[in-house]
Amino acid sequence: MKQIVISILLLSVVFLTACNSIKVPKSTMDHKMSATPTNVVPTKSEWTLTDYPQANVKIPISILIMDKTGKPVKTFETVHEKKMHLFIVSKDLAYFSHIHPKYEGNGKFDITTTFPAGGDYKIIAESTPKGGGDSSVETHWVHVEGEPAKEEPLIPDEAFTKVVDGKKVTLTFSQLAAGKTLHMTFTITDAKTNKPIKNLQPYLGAMGHTVAISADAEKYLHIHPMTTSGNGPSVIFMTIFPEKGVYKIWGQFKHEGKILTVPFVVNVPK
Ligand SMILES: [Cu+2]
């Protein structure tokens, strides 16, 4: 996959079209807004899983990360405490899972997962070969046999406040337009008492993680907070939506040992 790299503070944008990957890197802690290319090691991948994976059955998945010549990558950087971050979404983006495969050595990562229903799923694997300044992203579509879930239309939210697991979460944007640098702020309060949550815990080395995926599942952004200080109630992320359109955003936070995953659907205008 050809990789063009653009560096902008604290964010990562990847176009997952077949032969074009534009990447804006993540959590470098320097506060410059330069567009300096960082070093993404070009990779290829080989995905191994059973031929006709079934829903609700444990499915082992094996991912081999290779360099562009096809040789397994031997050493990976640990990024946000893991050598690989893997996201699984259903085609309608109703299902979301963020998991961490085990590194077996010699470029091979293994995970076992259970798909909740029949249908198509996109798997997105982020890893950083040693020496890479930013993560390489490999993706794979999987068709899962079984009763499909009722398709959920992706409708942009009208209000950006929702209650998940007893927390009231509000999402605000400094501006919302494609191609513009913007701030995305999640504010978390206790849904019952309305008290601000001030004891968020670091989750995988950051006060939160945000993933945004375009409606067609082709564009993927993994965004980290702008600072490592503060434990809520607000967590600020900076990003650029590469194109106009509908995106689903999942904010993930840790509170009292539990992971809170909060989804929003936004329509990003031009
Ligand atoms: Cu992860």
Side-chain angles (χ1 to χ4, degrees):
M1 202 187 258
K2 197 176 98 196
Q3 306 247 12
I4 303 163
V5 184
I6 303 167
S7 165
I8 294 180
L9 173 71
L10 291 182
L11 66 120
S12 99
V13 176
V14 183
F15 288 75
L16 297 175
T17 46
C19 51
N20 242 320
S21 171
I22 296 181
K23 180 148 224 296
V24 187
K26 36 161 205 295
S27 53
T28 48
M29 280 298 152
D30 57 337
H31 282 228
K32 59 177 193 279
M33 274 296 297
S34 67
T36 313
T38 60
N39 180 21
V40 172
V41 177
T43 51
K44 289 185 185 177
S45 58
E46 199 175 277
W47 297 70
T48 310
L49 64 165
T50 136
D51 275 349
Y52 299 100
Q54 300 282 327
N56 300 308
V57 172
K58 282 185 182 168
I59 307 292
I61 302 174
S62 184
I63 307 137
L64 177 65
I65 304 292
M66 297 168 287
D67 64 19
K68 58 177 191 294
T69 69
K71 279 204 207 90
V73 172
K74 298 253 158 86
T75 335
F76 293 86
E77 307 281 359
T78 297
V79 178
H80 285 104
E81 302 174 9
K82 305 289 173 186
K83 287 189 165 41
M84 179 178 275
H85 295 261
L86 193 97
F87 299 93
I88 304 178
V89 289
S90 56
K91 198 175 178 193
D92 64 358
L93 305 184
Y95 174 76
F96 170 87
S97 167
H98 174 186
I99 47 180
H100 302 104
K102 181 168 180 269
Y103 186 46
E104 307 286 0
N106 218 19
K108 190 168 169 267
F109 289 86
D110 283 338
I111 189 89
T112 297
T113 194
T114 304
F115 297 94
D120 293 314
Y121 292 83
K122 188 161 198 172
I123 311 182
I124 298 165
E126 257 193 38
S127 65
T128 305
K130 191 105 192 158
D134 213 25
S135 56
S136 302
V137 174
E138 294 291 333
T139 69
H140 189 65
W141 280 102
V142 177
H143 180 75
V144 175
E145 307 285 329
E147 181 78 26
K150 191 166 169 280
E151 194 168 324
E152 285 184 29
L154 202 61
I155 298 168
D157 291 321
E158 277 169 21
F160 290 105
T161 294
K162 57 184 67 166
V163 173
V164 177
D165 298 341
K167 310 283 189 305
K168 192 169 101 185
V169 183
T170 300
L171 175 63
T172 56
F173 297 91
S174 58
Q175 60 173 340
L176 193 54
K180 295 253 167 54
T181 302
L182 55 90
H183 290 171
M184 234 170 20
T185 305
F186 287 82
T187 304
I188 305 166
T189 58
D190 186 293
K192 268 204 199 109
T193 63
N194 237 348
K195 282 211 181 96
I197 304 281
K198 291 181 181 164
N199 58 341
L200 288 178
Q201 297 163 302
Y203 169 45
L204 299 167
M207 212 36 77
H209 295 255
T210 296
V211 172
I213 298 181
S214 58
D216 60 2
E218 290 301 318
K219 288 177 274 303
Y220 154 78
L221 300 87
H222 185 180
I223 313 149
H224 295 107
M226 290 187 64
T227 71
T228 48
S229 62
N231 298 74
S234 292
V235 184
I236 306 172
F237 298 82
M238 189 166 89
T239 196
I240 298 174
F241 289 96
E243 280 172 30
K244 72 176 176 114
V246 174
Y247 292 77
K248 188 158 184 179
I249 298 171
W250 295 265
Q252 293 198 292
F253 306 92
K254 190 172 176 184
H255 185 245
E256 292 173 346
K258 280 193 284 193
I259 306 301
L260 175 70
T261 301
V262 194
F264 288 99
V265 180
V266 313
N267 188 12
V268 179
K270 205 174 168 202

